[in-house]
Amino acid sequence: MTPPLITTCRRLAPALLLAALAALPACVPPPPGGDVTRAGRYAPPGAPPGTCWSKHTSPAVIETVTSQVLAEPAQLDSSGQVIRPAIFRTDTRQQIVQPRQERWFEIPCPASMTPEFIRTVQRALAARGIYDGPIHGQMDTATRTAVQRYQKPLGLDSGTLSLDTARKLGLVAVAG
């Protein structure tokens, strides 16, 4: 015979496990470069209500510098002849050329990213010779790659469409 307390615990355990699993997504940060809204926890400080944001992180640029350093000078005799040549050692170090950068940028809100809007983005990029895929209204890899190709010379190396890019493409009204 199983005691009543153990029977009760066995019945509650699955329910507690389900409750814990349901709360887990709230503990997980968004994916790097993922779209976020002002309503979410990941908008930049001071972002106006009703705006949507994304964050792009650029990795640090590190360069390896190698140089020859004099370890022991050459030994000369009294007449100036080299008895033992100088000894050098190779010194290798890494230095940060450009630090890691995180940049917030405003994006069109998810509600406006309709298939028709995405088709318009695809047509605008195709007209500029940047996108050659199908005009199907899906933000697929080819579309994100084209967006990134368009935005990179503008200083944003991301496949997430920025609001500034949408304005430059003539797809969103310019803020007055």
Side-chain angles (χ1 to χ4, degrees):
M1 169 123 190
T2 307
L5 182 58
I6 292 176
T7 303
T8 303
C9 288
R10 284 184 184 155
R11 282 189 215 138
L12 286 177
L16 291 174
L17 180 61
L18 286 174
L21 288 174
L24 187 60
C27 301
V28 178
D35 298 345
V36 294
T37 65
R38 178 65 184 108
R41 298 174 293 172
Y42 302 102
T51 58
C52 300
W53 297 84
S54 184
K55 182 168 48 170
H56 178 72
T57 303
S58 301
V61 177
I62 300 173
E63 112 182 329
T64 302
V65 179
T66 304
S67 57
Q68 296 293 316
V69 179
L70 181 64
E72 291 182 33
Q75 290 185 350
L76 308 174
D77 64 12
S78 59
S79 67
Q81 290 286 343
V82 176
I83 300 171
R84 195 173 77 190
I87 299 174
F88 292 87
R89 66 177 164 81
T90 302
D91 186 27
T92 304
R93 63 183 168 83
Q94 292 185 330
Q95 71 183 48
I96 296 175
V97 176
Q98 182 179 4
R100 175 179 182 247
Q101 297 175 337
E102 289 185 345
R103 176 179 172 197
W104 285 100
F105 58 97
E106 194 170 356
I107 60 172
C109 288
S112 65
M113 294 294 285
T114 63
E116 183 54 42
F117 181 79
I118 295 170
R119 279 192 286 274
T120 306
V121 170
Q122 291 167 334
R123 283 191 291 270
L125 294 170
R128 289 161 177 80
I130 297 171
Y131 177 73
D132 61 358
I135 309 297
H136 50 55
Q138 297 172 13
M139 191 57 86
D140 61 358
T141 302
T143 305
R144 287 187 182 279
T145 301
V147 167
Q148 184 172 8
R149 245 184 275 145
Y150 183 82
Q151 293 183 139
K152 189 171 184 176
L154 303 174
L156 180 60
D157 190 11
S158 173
T160 301
L161 181 70
S162 75
L163 196 56
D164 284 341
T165 297
R167 288 180 178 134
K168 282 180 182 33
L169 291 170
L171 307 177
V172 175
V174 177

